[in-house]
Amino acid sequence: MPSKSSSRIAALTVAAVCSTLTAVVLTSPAQADEVRIHDIQGTTRISPFAGQQVADVPGIVTGVRTEGSKGFWFQDPRPDNDPATSEGIFVFTNSAPTVAVGDAVRVSGTVSEYVPGGASSGNQSLTEITQPTVTVESSGNRLPKAVVLDSRSVPEAYAPAGDPAADGSVNALELRPSRYALDLFESLEGMNVRIGSSRVVTASNPYGELWVTVKPRQNASARGGAVYGSYSDQNSGRLQIQSLIPAEEQTFPVADVGQRLRGTTEGPLDYTEYGGYTLNARTIGTVDGRSPVRETTRKQKNGELAVATYNVENLDPTDPQEKFDRLAEGVVTHLASPDIVAVEEIQDDNGPEDDGTVSAERTVRQFTDAIVAAGGPRYDWRAIDPVDKADGGEPGGNIRQVFLFNPERVSFTDRPGGDATTAVGVTRARGGAALTASPGRVDPADEAWSDSRKPLAGEFVFRGRTVFVIANHFASKGGDQALHSQYQPPTRGSEGQRHRQAEIVNTFVKKILKVDRKARVVTLGDINDFEFSGTTQRLERGGALWSAIKSLPRNERYTYDYQGNSQVLDQILVSPAVRLGGLSYDSVHINAEFAEQNSDHDPQVLRFKP
């Protein structure tokens, strides 16, 4: 995850603002003499006063931030009658502010539009007053009444379509807060808002953040999350919670998905780089309810082959032994010791140290030893070391996929010739398909795999039947515009690479099926894309594969939790012979829903009779 940065990047130039907006003309001296916050905020996302000086803007301080982007929020106690205009605004002071909540102040300064993450991020801008002069007129004033965010006030629809004339940006569009959640939140930017008891839909993280939903019935998962099931259904009830309360006064709540933040949480509504609209709590509720149980799948039957995928999040020997032990517990106890485990994000033997090391012998041995210590089988393993710094991931880490397999249940067919740069092929052997190298890499020289992990193909035998397994870790979603972007729908810039990767894997599977249409092929791993995505569609193209997570009810289809959305990133796809022969699929929820994680992904397991 990117680090939290307090740096501020200029987002919109005055020229850019003026090129897209009509300046507001003040028609009387009285108006010019007293500009109020709702005048500054206006009825679109960009202030009509952007780049201009304002003087003696009145309001009451509703929140103070002394860390990160330092400043305070203040709000006009005399609102106008327009629901599209916010009555609150953030004042960026750069150093710890000297005002207190409840102070009546007048603020002079420059109106600016700040884009958290920078203009290239695509994020929306935050209207602020910068370089301020602040006059405190009185203290201890009653705060403006908080606006309640709940299932009634927040619209079901998430965002309007962007303006085609502005590359899809919504900046110049008039806000429609009764119709779209993002418009509602923008119309409340900087204002005092409140939520009541709300279900947690993304667990607390080390940065002091969690997510709740104020629409509890919206796409609820079987375990209390909010399932993200299509690009057009973004779960509008999601809201990020941070705290303005000093840690020495109240620690940030530690909550898991499905628990509740009970009571009142209240404070100014902000917009942040990581998550968009965020309630900065002056008062915060307490965690209530039990944590969900970490799931345990059933043991495979004697005639069933169990194949699993598990992203172990940059595992290497510099990690504490506790991480190895808990991941091992996940394999043995929660996954019931599958016959084959495709493991993603195994790093080299010294992790992020960049010294040319590519071997992962020590990393894998430490992991398989931990599995034995947890009561599991002595897994054998196969992998191919990457070219140094060629496969992406953490710099110096040289992550790769590794096959673990239980030799008491399944055998690996070794064929020489597989290395980091040689493409594995398909041939005919004994009336069926066979790999030219096992293990081997699928088309590793193609540009689609530039700075990305190459698929690892292996040939296994279970009870005399050959099963082809292809372990994948597709390109990440880094660089995609966020769901809360100013561009709607947001651009998914990273998916082009995954589309090409999926096409390559699909073509390779079709080569196997051309030799043997009844071949048993399992393609699995961290696909980094949804089961409804174009990436998955390309993997499935021509009926070569089918994503088995779609065998689950919709409210159980997720492997990862991000910004309030329970979603699919990890998948197991199967050829027709596997699908038609009957299968059992389980997304085993042991990580993604919890504040305490061994990995940020949930493992998946497929059982079938070859």
Side-chain angles (χ1 to χ4, degrees), residues 120-358:
S120 62
S121 70
N123 285 335
Q124 296 189 53
S125 63
L126 182 66
T127 304
E128 300 179 336
I129 298 177
T130 62
Q131 299 175 311
T133 300
V134 182
T135 301
V136 178
E137 297 185 320
S138 63
S139 299
N141 295 281
R142 178 178 295 180
L143 301 189
K145 185 178 180 181
V147 175
V148 177
L149 298 176
D150 58 18
S151 58
R152 290 184 178 180
S153 62
V154 177
E156 194 74 17
Y158 189 65
D163 182 359
D167 295 325
S169 174
V170 296
N171 277 346
L173 300 181
E174 292 287 325
L175 297 175
R176 290 180 284 178
S178 64
R179 185 166 181 179
Y180 299 109
L182 283 189
D183 283 10
L184 172 67
F185 296 149
E186 174 63 21
S187 75
L188 301 174
E189 179 189 271
M191 289 181 63
N192 193 33
V193 300
R194 182 175 76 236
I195 61 170
S197 295
S198 302
R199 194 176 72 247
V200 175
V201 289
T202 291
S204 306
N205 66 24
Y207 302 116
E209 301 164 343
L210 61 80
W211 288 73
V212 299
T213 180
V214 298
K215 298 177 80 68
R217 296 183 180 179
Q218 189 177 53
N219 299 324
S221 79
R223 290 165 55 88
V227 172
Y228 182 48
S230 75
Y231 291 127
S232 61
D233 195 358
Q234 299 96 330
N235 289 315
S236 63
R238 300 172 298 118
L239 186 66
Q240 184 171 228
I241 307 295
Q242 295 179 348
S243 177
L244 297 174
I245 306 169
E248 60 270 19
E249 296 180 17
Q250 182 179 344
T251 58
F252 191 77
V254 178
D256 297 328
V257 170
Q259 293 187 292
R260 296 186 70 81
L261 195 61
R262 188 169 294 282
T264 298
T265 299
E266 182 174 321
L269 188 65
D270 195 21
Y271 183 92
T272 68
E273 177 180 358
Y274 299 97
Y277 292 101
T278 300
L279 195 166
N280 280 264
R282 288 188 321 273
T283 60
I284 195 165
T286 56
V287 178
D288 186 41
R290 294 183 179 180
S291 295
V293 175
R294 296 183 195 263
E295 289 187 332
T296 298
T297 197
R298 69 168 175 84
K299 184 75 174 176
Q300 65 270 32
K301 300 173 183 177
N302 285 337
E304 289 180 316
L305 178 66
V307 184
T309 176
Y310 199 177
N311 182 319
V312 293
E313 197 175 6
N314 290 330
L315 185 66
D316 69 73
T318 67
D319 289 319
Q321 183 61 39
E322 180 185 13
K323 180 174 181 178
F324 283 88
D325 293 342
R326 297 190 69 174
L327 288 168
E329 179 188 4
V331 172
V332 176
T333 301
H334 298 283
L335 287 177
S337 299
D339 302 309
I340 302 170
V341 185
V343 186
E344 298 86 51
E345 294 200 16
I346 290 286
Q347 290 195 336
D348 63 35
D349 288 337
N350 59 15
E353 184 176 346
D354 188 4
D355 64 355
T357 298
V358 294

Side-chain angles (χ1 to χ4, degrees), residues 59-64 73-74 99-105 136-144 282:
I60 295 174
V61 175
T62 59
V64 176
W73 293 266
F74 76 124
V99 299
V101 171
D103 285 353
V105 297
V136 178
E137 297 185 320
S138 63
S139 299
N141 295 281
R142 178 178 295 180
L143 301 189
R282 288 188 321 273

